[in-house]
Amino acid sequence: MIKYENIYKVFGDLQVLNGINFEIKTGEVVCILGPSGSGKTTLLRCTNFLEPPTKGIVTVGDAVIDSEKYTKTELKKLREMSTMVFQNYNLFKNMSALENVMAGLTICQKKDKKEAEEIARHYLQVVGMRERATYFPSQLSGGQQQRVGIARALALQPHAILFDEPTAALDPELVGEVLNVMKEVAKTGITMAVVTHEMGFAKEVADKVVFMDGGVVVEQGSPSEVFEHPQNERTKQFLKAISNKGK
């Protein structure tokens, strides 16, 4: 489960999040949509305190943290409950695919090298990258790098995975391979929060869709409710603009 209670985030004079309240149930896939600047990525980064909220309470699994008063122990527990797949891969360029997946296992989870390698090879297999385990990021396409990033996230066996526009940096022909891997990940039952502009993926895979604009949740519901019967005028405008862009 991921739960946001009254989440605010301020950067100087800029109010980016303005009282976010919603819940992602355990095992749910929730796609977070909205225009650029709506606060989607900031909310995702607030989930594991890469950007600590200015105010509010975040729950991930059995870790609960109040952004205005928390300990290092509470923060460590929260961060252990989720892991993030970034837009720009964030792989270590001086490490092979295998070493990139092993890094979190050996550094964060203190596993010995042999066990870490076995786990890493398994998850590279899951994302179809086992044959390229020895390749460095510079030898991989963007889609392949992102699949390594997903393997790295899965290997940590977190309660939830946070996807920050995982296909945004990819050439159009590479988007499908990453979305296909994400669909398979969704079938495992892991909790997923996905910031995305891929409407087709959201319609097919999401249990719930959350539409944000101006730092607030404007509308939320099932994919059919939000895409086929949006209630808010701003949601209707956004979906129409997206639809026209695709023509």
Side-chain angles (χ1 to χ4, degrees):
M1 177 187 75
I2 300 174
K3 188 175 183 180
Y4 303 104
E5 298 177 75
N6 208 30
I7 301 298
Y8 288 79
K9 181 62 182 179
V10 179
F11 292 101
D13 296 328
L14 182 62
Q15 183 96 33
V16 180
L17 299 176
N18 193 19
I20 300 293
N21 291 278
F22 72 90
E23 181 178 326
I24 302 172
K25 296 177 182 177
T26 299
E28 272 192 330
V29 178
V30 172
C31 286
I32 305 171
L33 314 178
S36 297
S38 59
K40 308 182 303 295
T41 291
T42 298
L43 179 63
L44 216 61
R45 292 173 67 85
C46 284
T47 309
N48 58 9
F49 277 51
L50 285 176
E51 289 287 355
T54 305
K55 179 183 176 182
I57 298 172
V58 176
T59 301
V60 183
D62 61 358
V64 183
I65 189 165
D66 186 330
S67 60
E68 295 183 281
K69 50 179 181 179
Y70 58 90
T71 66
K72 288 183 178 179
T73 301
E74 288 173 329
L75 181 59
K76 182 175 184 291
K77 183 177 182 180
L78 180 82
R79 288 178 169 167
E80 287 173 347
M81 296 302 291
S82 69
T83 189
M84 199 158 180
V85 176
F86 297 91
Q87 184 178 139
N88 293 310
Y89 328 132
N90 280 29
L91 299 181
F92 295 109
K93 298 186 186 305
N94 63 333
M95 292 184 181
S96 67
L98 179 64
E99 290 168 335
N100 264 284
V101 180
M102 288 175 61
L105 296 167
T106 55
I107 297 169
C108 300
Q109 297 188 350
K110 309 300 182 185
K111 295 187 184 297
D112 65 62
K113 188 175 179 180
K114 182 179 179 181
E115 182 184 7
E117 182 173 340
E118 288 177 357
I119 294 170
R121 288 190 183 279
H122 168 72
Y123 284 105
L124 285 172
Q125 176 73 39
V126 168
V127 301
M129 290 296 292
R130 189 180 179 105
E131 299 305 313
R132 289 176 169 78
T134 60
Y135 286 42
F136 286 81
S138 61
Q139 298 172 299
L140 300 173
S141 69
Q144 290 169 338
Q145 290 184 64
Q146 193 60 289
R147 283 192 277 158
V148 173
I150 294 171
R152 178 177 58 186
L154 287 168
L156 295 172
Q157 296 182 295
H159 174 78
I161 301 183
L162 315 173
F163 293 85
D164 181 18
E165 299 196 36
T167 61
L170 299 177
D171 292 332
E173 65 268 23
L174 301 178
V175 169
E177 67 182 70
V178 172
L179 292 179
N180 286 336
V181 169
M182 290 174 64
K183 290 174 186 177
E184 293 304 310
V185 172
K187 292 177 184 177
T188 68
I190 193 167
T191 306
M192 293 169 58
V194 186
V195 170
T196 183
H197 288 295
E198 298 293 337
M199 300 299 120
F201 175 84
K203 291 176 183 178
E204 181 182 350
V205 180
D207 297 297
K208 182 166 69 177
V209 172
V210 174
F211 174 67
M212 290 180 61
D213 190 32
V216 300
V217 173
V218 175
E219 190 163 350
Q220 59 180 301
S222 69
S224 62
E225 288 171 337
V226 174
F227 288 113
E228 297 172 24
H229 307 287
Q231 299 300 303
N232 188 280
E233 189 60 36
R234 183 65 187 94
T235 312
K236 295 175 184 177
Q237 292 171 357
F238 175 78
L239 294 174
K240 183 177 180 181
I242 290 290
S243 177
N244 289 339
K245 187 177 179 181
K247 291 179 180 179

